[in-house]
Amino acid sequence: MSFETELAKASKSPVELRDIDANYHKYSVKDLPATIPGIKWQLLLSGLKLNSDSVVITQPDFFKALAVQLKTTSLETWKNYLKFHVLDATAIFLNKDIAYAHYQFNDKTLNGQQVPLERWDQVSRVIDGLMGDPLGYVYVHKYFPPAAKARMDTLVQNVEAAFEERIKNLQWMGDTTKQKAIAKLHAIIAKIAYPDQWKKYEGVNIDPAKYYTNALACKAYLYQEMINYLHAGKVDRKRWGMSPPTVNAEYDASLNTIEFPAGILQYPFFAVDADDAVNYGGIGLVIGHELTHGFDDQGRRFDGQGNRSDWWTAADEKRFNVKADQIVKLYDGYKVLDSLHVNGSLTQGENIADFGGLAISFDAFKKTAEYKAGKKINGFTPEQRYFLSFAQCRRRKMTDDYLKTFIKTDPHAPSWYRINGPYSNFDEFYKAYGLKPGQKMYRPDADRISIW
Ligand SMILES: [Zn+2]
């Protein structure tokens, strides 16, 4: 514990890790022994199967501290530390006692999970993690029809068009930056449902009697596949970051791509036969959210091809930061448990994306026939159904222990603030539900924040 604490002290905090430039340090491999002495770099790199004349080290100070620990920490402690990590990383593939010890510490003590996952649930997560493509191939052929892909394509196009229009109409952004922002927006590649190229797992032999060996074979395959990609030396913007069954979405700043695996393209986020209010209020909002990540505190430092570049004018950057600070303050003020608050700085990128996604997708929804007809379904107007849809997507419960860890480590605010924060700052929400002063979510006009 004390050894790990020393290593942790030399590591950056999650907020510090958001600073792109402070975490980019490129070194030539031959200079490394002089720049950060005390580590056998050649041995380390060949052990990692890395063949490169330069490397990027995100945290040089960590490696400097590591070099000190290599000298001062006893061999016995090092052995225990490494043994622990081999067991911790593989515990879920080993016998019941070790797997249970892993659950007790990681899931129960740290996160307040009261019972272990059922075996089917645990194992299907493992298969998704280690054989995501083969599993995804079967999954999408069974559950993701071409009609769903077509509807999703239209949603992405419409939400992107709505964002372009909003950028053009922004009061705070100058024309030069606007033109560049729109060019970057058009350069974004949308990856929907599943990859064009599937990983084939050549050479991986699966033996139904050997869970641990199978897991290691998959890990070795995935590692080698990553190294091959690196050594090929060519950026592949179509490369996927998640497995097709994953229930998540992402923006990748260094590729300038958005990705929506088939796993998130199901209820409550999306349904091929749902009305537009449900889809724009669900996945439409997520599409808008991901698009704005290209322009948040991190994404705006990259160009349309994903290269690090400063393309904002200083004046626009200043005006953006004023607005971003308002959002930081708003979330700093949100309380969880007795004395814990949301970390506004850590969550700012995600909160800005939630604010933007809500406004952008709503504009796209306004162009639909359903919105224009204004007909109620189950007693709710189209716009009320839009807001209900996203609130349903974010329904979640967290134990207090989990929440404590979540607040310190996760770049997202707890899910209820991801609804009440953006909604209480969005005029259309006031109109849809007739909010009045004195009601809990009411904020005076002048206090309402909007960025995108
Ligand atoms: Zn996000």
Coordinates of all heavy atoms in Angstrom, one line a residue, residues 182-249:
I182 N -16.9 24.8 -38.9 CA -17.8 24.1 -39.8 C -17.0 23.1 -40.6 O -17.4 22.0 -40.9 CB -18.6 25.1 -40.6 CG1 -19.6 25.8 -39.7 CG2 -19.3 24.4 -41.8 CD1 -20.3 27.0 -40.3
A183 N -15.8 23.5 -41.1 CA -15.0 22.6 -41.8 C -14.6 21.4 -41.0 O -14.6 20.3 -41.5 CB -13.7 23.4 -42.3
K184 N -14.3 21.6 -39.7 CA -14.0 20.5 -38.9 C -15.2 19.6 -38.7 O -15.1 18.4 -38.7 CB -13.4 21.0 -37.5 CG -13.1 19.8 -36.6 CD -12.4 20.1 -35.3 CE -12.2 18.8 -34.6 NZ -11.5 18.9 -33.3
L185 N -16.3 20.2 -38.5 CA -17.6 19.5 -38.3 C -17.8 18.5 -39.5 O -18.1 17.4 -39.4 CB -18.7 20.4 -38.1 CG -20.1 19.8 -38.0 CD1 -20.2 19.0 -36.7 CD2 -21.2 20.9 -38.0
H186 N -17.6 19.1 -40.7 CA -17.8 18.3 -41.9 C -16.8 17.2 -42.1 O -17.0 16.2 -42.8 CB -17.8 19.1 -43.2 CG -19.1 20.0 -43.3 ND1 -20.3 19.4 -43.1 CD2 -19.3 21.3 -43.5 CE1 -21.2 20.4 -43.3 NE2 -20.6 21.5 -43.5
A187 N -15.6 17.4 -41.5 CA -14.5 16.3 -41.6 C -14.8 15.2 -40.7 O -14.1 14.1 -40.8 CB -13.2 17.0 -41.3
I188 N -15.7 15.3 -39.7 CA -15.9 14.2 -38.8 C -16.5 13.0 -39.5 O -17.4 13.0 -40.3 CB -16.9 14.6 -37.7 CG1 -16.3 15.7 -36.8 CG2 -17.4 13.4 -36.8 CD1 -17.2 16.3 -35.7
I189 N -15.9 11.8 -39.2 CA -16.3 10.5 -39.7 C -17.2 9.9 -38.7 O -16.9 9.8 -37.5 CB -15.2 9.6 -40.1 CG1 -14.3 10.2 -41.3 CG2 -15.7 8.2 -40.4 CD1 -13.1 9.3 -41.6
A190 N -18.4 9.5 -39.1 CA -19.3 8.8 -38.2 C -19.3 7.3 -38.4 O -19.4 6.8 -39.5 CB -20.8 9.2 -38.4
K191 N -18.9 6.6 -37.3 CA -18.9 5.1 -37.4 C -20.1 4.5 -36.7 O -20.3 4.8 -35.5 CB -17.6 4.6 -36.7 CG -16.3 4.9 -37.5 CD -15.1 4.5 -36.8 CE -14.5 5.7 -36.0 NZ -13.1 5.4 -35.5
I192 N -20.9 3.8 -37.4 CA -22.2 3.4 -36.9 C -22.4 1.9 -36.8 O -22.1 1.2 -37.8 CB -23.4 4.0 -37.8 CG1 -23.3 5.5 -37.7 CG2 -24.7 3.5 -37.3 CD1 -24.2 6.3 -38.7
A193 N -22.7 1.4 -35.7 CA -23.1 0.0 -35.4 C -21.9 -1.0 -35.4 O -21.7 -1.7 -34.4 CB -24.2 -0.5 -36.3
Y194 N -21.2 -1.1 -36.5 CA -20.1 -2.1 -36.5 C -19.0 -1.7 -37.5 O -19.3 -0.9 -38.4 CB -20.7 -3.5 -36.8 CG -21.6 -3.5 -38.0 CD1 -21.1 -3.7 -39.3 CD2 -22.9 -3.3 -37.9 CE1 -21.9 -3.7 -40.4 CE2 -23.8 -3.3 -39.0 CZ -23.3 -3.5 -40.2 OH -24.1 -3.5 -41.3
P195 N -17.8 -2.2 -37.4 CA -16.7 -1.9 -38.3 C -16.9 -2.5 -39.7 O -17.6 -3.5 -39.9 CB -15.5 -2.4 -37.6 CG -16.0 -3.5 -36.8 CD -17.4 -3.2 -36.4
D196 N -16.2 -1.9 -40.7 CA -16.2 -2.5 -42.1 C -15.3 -3.7 -42.1 O -15.5 -4.7 -42.8 CB -15.6 -1.5 -43.1 CG -16.5 -0.2 -43.1 OD1 -17.7 -0.3 -42.8 OD2 -15.9 0.8 -43.5
Q197 N -14.2 -3.6 -41.3 CA -13.3 -4.7 -41.2 C -13.4 -5.4 -39.8 O -13.3 -4.7 -38.8 CB -11.8 -4.2 -41.3 CG -11.5 -3.4 -42.6 CD -11.2 -4.3 -43.7 OE1 -10.9 -5.5 -43.5 NE2 -11.3 -3.8 -45.0
W198 N -13.6 -6.7 -39.8 CA -13.7 -7.4 -38.5 C -12.4 -8.1 -38.2 O -11.7 -8.6 -39.0 CB -14.7 -8.5 -38.6 CG -16.1 -8.1 -38.9 CD1 -16.7 -7.9 -40.2 CD2 -17.1 -7.7 -38.0 NE1 -18.0 -7.4 -40.1 CE2 -18.3 -7.3 -38.7 CE3 -17.2 -7.6 -36.6 CZ2 -19.5 -6.9 -38.1 CZ3 -18.3 -7.2 -36.0 CH2 -19.5 -6.8 -36.7
K199 N -12.0 -8.0 -36.9 CA -10.8 -8.7 -36.4 C -11.1 -10.2 -36.5 O -12.1 -10.7 -36.1 CB -10.5 -8.3 -35.0 CG -10.0 -6.9 -34.8 CD -9.5 -6.6 -33.4 CE -9.1 -5.2 -33.3 NZ -10.1 -4.3 -32.6
K200 N -10.1 -10.9 -37.1 CA -10.4 -12.3 -37.4 C -9.9 -13.4 -36.4 O -10.2 -14.5 -36.5 CB -9.9 -12.7 -38.8 CG -10.6 -11.9 -39.9 CD -10.3 -12.4 -41.3 CE -11.1 -11.7 -42.3 NZ -10.7 -10.3 -42.5
Y201 N -9.1 -12.9 -35.5 CA -8.5 -13.8 -34.4 C -7.8 -15.0 -35.0 O -7.9 -16.1 -34.5 CB -9.6 -14.3 -33.5 CG -10.0 -13.1 -32.5 CD1 -10.8 -12.1 -33.0 CD2 -9.6 -13.1 -31.2 CE1 -11.1 -11.0 -32.1 CE2 -9.9 -12.1 -30.3 CZ -10.7 -11.0 -30.8 OH -11.0 -10.0 -30.0
E202 N -7.0 -14.8 -36.1 CA -6.2 -15.9 -36.7 C -5.2 -16.3 -35.7 O -4.6 -15.5 -35.0 CB -5.5 -15.4 -37.9 CG -6.3 -15.0 -39.1 CD -6.2 -13.5 -39.4 OE1 -5.9 -12.7 -38.4 OE2 -6.4 -13.1 -40.5
G203 N -5.1 -17.6 -35.6 CA -4.0 -18.2 -34.7 C -4.5 -18.3 -33.3 O -3.7 -18.8 -32.4
V204 N -5.7 -17.8 -32.9 CA -6.1 -18.0 -31.5 C -6.9 -19.3 -31.4 O -7.9 -19.5 -32.1 CB -7.0 -16.8 -31.1 CG1 -7.6 -17.1 -29.7 CG2 -6.3 -15.5 -31.2
N205 N -6.3 -20.2 -30.6 CA -7.0 -21.5 -30.4 C -7.8 -21.5 -29.1 O -7.3 -21.2 -28.0 CB -6.0 -22.6 -30.3 CG -5.3 -22.8 -31.7 OD1 -6.0 -22.8 -32.7 ND2 -4.0 -22.8 -31.7
I206 N -9.1 -21.7 -29.2 CA -10.0 -21.7 -28.1 C -10.2 -23.2 -27.6 O -10.7 -24.0 -28.4 CB -11.3 -21.0 -28.4 CG1 -11.1 -19.6 -28.7 CG2 -12.3 -21.1 -27.2 CD1 -10.4 -18.7 -27.6
D207 N -9.9 -23.4 -26.3 CA -10.2 -24.8 -25.8 C -11.3 -24.6 -24.7 O -11.0 -23.9 -23.7 CB -8.9 -25.3 -25.2 CG -9.0 -26.7 -24.5 OD1 -10.2 -27.1 -24.2 OD2 -8.0 -27.3 -24.2
P208 N -12.4 -25.2 -24.9 CA -13.5 -25.0 -24.0 C -13.2 -25.4 -22.5 O -13.9 -24.9 -21.6 CB -14.6 -26.0 -24.5 CG -14.3 -26.2 -25.9 CD -12.8 -26.1 -26.0
A209 N -12.1 -26.1 -22.3 CA -11.8 -26.6 -20.9 C -10.8 -25.6 -20.3 O -10.5 -25.8 -19.1 CB -11.2 -28.0 -21.0
K210 N -10.3 -24.6 -21.0 CA -9.3 -23.7 -20.4 C -9.6 -22.2 -20.5 O -9.2 -21.5 -21.4 CB -8.0 -24.0 -21.2 CG -7.5 -25.4 -20.9 CD -6.2 -25.7 -21.7 CE -5.6 -27.1 -21.3 NZ -4.5 -27.4 -22.2
Y211 N -10.3 -21.8 -19.5 CA -10.7 -20.4 -19.5 C -9.6 -19.4 -19.4 O -9.4 -18.5 -20.3 CB -11.6 -20.2 -18.2 CG -12.4 -18.9 -18.2 CD1 -12.7 -18.2 -19.3 CD2 -12.9 -18.4 -16.9 CE1 -13.5 -17.0 -19.2 CE2 -13.7 -17.3 -16.9 CZ -13.9 -16.6 -18.0 OH -14.7 -15.4 -17.9
Y212 N -8.7 -19.7 -18.5 CA -7.5 -18.8 -18.3 C -6.6 -18.7 -19.5 O -6.3 -17.6 -20.0 CB -6.7 -19.3 -17.1 CG -5.4 -18.5 -16.8 CD1 -5.4 -17.3 -16.1 CD2 -4.2 -19.0 -17.3 CE1 -4.3 -16.6 -15.9 CE2 -3.0 -18.4 -17.0 CZ -3.0 -17.2 -16.3 OH -1.9 -16.5 -16.0
T213 N -6.3 -19.9 -20.1 CA -5.4 -19.9 -21.3 C -6.1 -19.2 -22.5 O -5.5 -18.5 -23.2 CB -5.1 -21.4 -21.7 OG1 -4.8 -22.1 -20.5 CG2 -4.0 -21.5 -22.6
N214 N -7.4 -19.4 -22.6 CA -8.2 -18.7 -23.7 C -8.1 -17.2 -23.6 O -7.9 -16.5 -24.5 CB -9.6 -19.1 -23.7 CG -9.8 -20.6 -24.0 OD1 -9.0 -21.2 -24.7 ND2 -11.0 -21.2 -23.6
A215 N -8.3 -16.8 -22.3 CA -8.3 -15.3 -22.1 C -6.9 -14.7 -22.4 O -6.8 -13.7 -23.1 CB -8.6 -15.0 -20.6
L216 N -5.9 -15.4 -22.0 CA -4.5 -15.0 -22.3 C -4.2 -14.9 -23.8 O -3.6 -14.0 -24.3 CB -3.5 -15.8 -21.6 CG -2.7 -15.1 -20.4 CD1 -3.7 -14.5 -19.5 CD2 -1.8 -16.1 -19.7
A217 N -4.7 -16.0 -24.5 CA -4.5 -16.0 -26.0 C -5.2 -14.8 -26.7 O -4.6 -14.2 -27.6 CB -5.1 -17.3 -26.5
C218 N -6.4 -14.5 -26.2 CA -7.1 -13.3 -26.8 C -6.4 -12.0 -26.5 O -6.2 -11.2 -27.3 CB -8.5 -13.3 -26.2 SG -9.6 -14.6 -26.8
K219 N -5.9 -11.9 -25.2 CA -5.2 -10.7 -24.8 C -3.9 -10.5 -25.7 O -3.6 -9.4 -26.1 CB -4.8 -10.7 -23.3 CG -5.9 -10.3 -22.4 CD -5.5 -10.5 -20.9 CE -6.6 -10.2 -20.0 NZ -6.7 -8.8 -19.5
A220 N -3.2 -11.7 -25.9 CA -2.0 -11.6 -26.7 C -2.3 -11.2 -28.1 O -1.6 -10.4 -28.8 CB -1.3 -13.0 -26.7
Y221 N -3.4 -11.7 -28.7 CA -3.8 -11.4 -30.0 C -4.2 -9.9 -30.1 O -3.7 -9.2 -31.1 CB -5.1 -12.2 -30.4 CG -5.7 -11.8 -31.7 CD1 -5.2 -12.2 -33.0 CD2 -6.7 -10.8 -31.7 CE1 -5.7 -11.7 -34.1 CE2 -7.3 -10.4 -32.9 CZ -6.8 -10.8 -34.1 OH -7.3 -10.4 -35.3
L222 N -4.9 -9.4 -29.2 CA -5.3 -8.0 -29.3 C -4.1 -7.1 -29.1 O -4.0 -6.0 -29.8 CB -6.4 -7.7 -28.2 CG -7.7 -8.3 -28.4 CD1 -8.6 -8.1 -27.1 CD2 -8.4 -7.7 -29.6
Y223 N -3.2 -7.5 -28.2 CA -2.0 -6.7 -28.1 C -1.2 -6.6 -29.4 O -0.8 -5.6 -29.8 CB -1.1 -7.2 -26.9 CG 0.1 -6.3 -26.6 CD1 -0.1 -5.2 -25.9 CD2 1.3 -6.6 -27.1 CE1 1.0 -4.3 -25.6 CE2 2.4 -5.8 -26.9 CZ 2.2 -4.6 -26.1 OH 3.3 -3.8 -25.9
Q224 N -1.0 -7.8 -30.0 CA -0.2 -7.9 -31.2 C -0.9 -7.1 -32.3 O -0.2 -6.4 -33.1 CB 0.0 -9.3 -31.6 CG 1.0 -9.5 -32.7 CD 2.4 -9.0 -32.3 OE1 2.9 -9.2 -31.3 NE2 3.0 -8.1 -33.2
E225 N -2.2 -7.2 -32.4 CA -2.9 -6.5 -33.4 C -2.7 -5.0 -33.3 O -2.5 -4.2 -34.3 CB -4.4 -6.8 -33.2 CG -5.3 -6.5 -34.5 CD -5.9 -5.1 -34.4 OE1 -5.9 -4.5 -33.3 OE2 -6.3 -4.7 -35.5
M226 N -2.7 -4.5 -32.0 CA -2.4 -3.0 -31.8 C -1.0 -2.7 -32.2 O -0.8 -1.6 -32.8 CB -2.6 -2.8 -30.3 CG -2.3 -1.4 -29.8 SD -2.6 -1.2 -28.0 CE -1.1 -2.0 -27.4
I227 N 0.0 -3.5 -31.8 CA 1.4 -3.2 -32.2 C 1.5 -3.3 -33.7 O 2.2 -2.4 -34.3 CB 2.3 -4.3 -31.5 CG1 2.3 -4.2 -30.0 CG2 3.7 -4.2 -32.1 CD1 2.9 -2.9 -29.5
N228 N 0.9 -4.2 -34.4 CA 0.9 -4.2 -35.9 C 0.4 -2.9 -36.5 O 1.0 -2.4 -37.4 CB 0.1 -5.4 -36.4 CG 0.7 -6.8 -36.0 OD1 1.9 -6.8 -35.6 ND2 0.0 -7.8 -36.2
Y229 N -0.7 -2.4 -35.9 CA -1.3 -1.2 -36.4 C -0.3 -0.1 -36.2 O 0.0 0.8 -37.1 CB -2.6 -0.9 -35.6 CG -3.2 0.4 -35.9 CD1 -3.4 0.9 -37.2 CD2 -3.5 1.3 -34.8 CE1 -4.0 2.1 -37.4 CE2 -4.1 2.5 -35.1 CZ -4.3 3.0 -36.4 OH -4.9 4.2 -36.6
L230 N 0.3 0.0 -35.0 CA 1.3 1.0 -34.7 C 2.5 1.0 -35.7 O 2.9 2.0 -36.3 CB 1.8 0.9 -33.3 CG 2.8 1.9 -32.8 CD1 2.1 3.2 -32.5 CD2 3.5 1.4 -31.6
H231 N 3.0 -0.2 -35.9 CA 4.2 -0.4 -36.8 C 3.9 -0.2 -38.2 O 4.8 0.1 -39.0 CB 4.8 -1.8 -36.6 CG 5.6 -1.9 -35.2 ND1 5.9 -3.1 -34.7 CD2 6.0 -0.9 -34.4 CE1 6.5 -2.9 -33.5 NE2 6.5 -1.6 -33.3
A232 N 2.6 -0.3 -38.6 CA 2.2 -0.1 -40.0 C 2.4 1.4 -40.3 O 2.6 1.8 -41.5 CB 0.8 -0.5 -40.3
G233 N 2.4 2.3 -39.3 CA 2.7 3.7 -39.4 C 1.7 4.5 -40.2 O 2.0 5.6 -40.7
K234 N 0.5 4.0 -40.3 CA -0.5 4.7 -41.1 C -1.8 4.9 -40.2 O -2.2 3.9 -39.6 CB -0.8 4.0 -42.4 CG -1.3 4.8 -43.5 CD -1.4 4.0 -44.8 CE -2.3 4.7 -45.8 NZ -3.7 4.3 -45.6
V235 N -2.3 6.1 -40.1 CA -3.5 6.4 -39.4 C -4.7 5.8 -40.1 O -4.9 6.0 -41.3 CB -3.7 7.9 -39.1 CG1 -5.0 8.1 -38.4 CG2 -2.5 8.5 -38.3
D236 N -5.5 5.0 -39.4 CA -6.7 4.5 -40.0 C -7.9 5.1 -39.2 O -8.3 4.7 -38.1 CB -6.7 2.9 -39.8 CG -8.0 2.3 -40.3 OD1 -8.8 3.0 -40.9 OD2 -8.2 1.1 -40.0
R237 N -8.5 6.1 -39.8 CA -9.6 6.8 -39.2 C -10.9 6.0 -39.1 O -11.8 6.3 -38.3 CB -9.9 8.1 -39.8 CG -8.7 9.1 -39.7 CD -9.0 10.5 -40.3 NE -10.1 11.1 -39.7 CZ -10.9 12.0 -40.3 NH1 -10.7 12.3 -41.6 NH2 -11.9 12.6 -39.7
K238 N -10.9 4.8 -39.8 CA -12.1 4.0 -39.7 C -11.9 2.9 -38.6 O -12.8 2.1 -38.4 CB -12.3 3.3 -41.1 CG -12.6 4.2 -42.2 CD -14.1 4.3 -42.5 CE -14.4 5.3 -43.5 NZ -14.2 4.9 -44.9
R239 N -10.8 2.9 -38.0 CA -10.5 1.9 -36.9 C -11.5 2.2 -35.7 O -11.7 3.3 -35.3 CB -9.1 2.1 -36.4 CG -8.6 1.0 -35.5 CD -7.1 1.2 -35.2 NE -6.7 0.5 -34.0 CZ -6.3 -0.8 -34.0 NH1 -6.2 -1.4 -35.2 NH2 -6.0 -1.4 -32.9
W240 N -12.0 1.1 -35.2 CA -13.0 1.2 -34.1 C -12.3 1.2 -32.7 O -11.3 0.4 -32.5 CB -14.0 0.1 -34.2 CG -15.1 0.4 -35.1 CD1 -15.1 0.6 -36.4 CD2 -16.5 0.6 -34.7 NE1 -16.3 1.0 -36.9 CE2 -17.2 1.0 -35.9 CE3 -17.2 0.6 -33.5 CZ2 -18.6 1.3 -35.9 CZ3 -18.5 0.9 -33.5 CH2 -19.2 1.2 -34.7
G241 N -12.9 1.9 -31.8 CA -12.3 1.9 -30.4 C -13.1 1.0 -29.5 O -12.6 0.5 -28.4
M242 N -14.4 0.7 -29.8 CA -15.2 -0.1 -28.9 C -15.7 -1.3 -29.7 O -15.7 -1.4 -30.9 CB -16.4 0.7 -28.5 CG -16.1 1.9 -27.5 SD -17.5 2.9 -27.1 CE -17.7 3.9 -28.5
S243 N -16.2 -2.3 -28.9 CA -16.8 -3.5 -29.6 C -18.3 -3.2 -30.0 O -18.9 -2.4 -29.3 CB -16.8 -4.7 -28.6 OG -17.8 -4.5 -27.6
P244 N -18.8 -3.8 -31.0 CA -20.1 -3.6 -31.5 C -21.2 -3.7 -30.4 O -22.2 -2.9 -30.4 CB -20.3 -4.5 -32.6 CG -19.0 -4.8 -33.1 CD -18.1 -4.8 -31.9
P245 N -21.1 -4.7 -29.5 CA -22.2 -4.8 -28.5 C -22.2 -3.7 -27.3 O -23.0 -3.7 -26.5 CB -22.0 -6.2 -27.9 CG -21.2 -6.9 -28.8 CD -20.3 -5.9 -29.4
T246 N -21.1 -2.8 -27.3 CA -21.0 -1.9 -26.2 C -22.1 -0.9 -26.2 O -22.5 -0.3 -27.2 CB -19.6 -1.1 -26.4 OG1 -18.6 -2.1 -26.5 CG2 -19.4 -0.2 -25.2
V247 N -22.6 -0.6 -24.9 CA -23.6 0.4 -24.8 C -22.9 1.7 -24.4 O -22.8 2.0 -23.2 CB -24.7 0.0 -23.7 CG1 -25.7 1.1 -23.6 CG2 -25.3 -1.3 -24.0
N248 N -22.4 2.4 -25.4 CA -21.7 3.6 -25.1 C -21.5 4.3 -26.5 O -21.8 3.8 -27.5 CB -20.3 3.3 -24.5 CG -19.7 4.5 -23.7 OD1 -20.3 5.6 -23.8 ND2 -18.7 4.3 -23.0
A249 N -21.0 5.5 -26.5 CA -20.7 6.3 -27.7 C -19.4 7.1 -27.4 O -19.1 7.4 -26.3 CB -21.8 7.2 -28.1

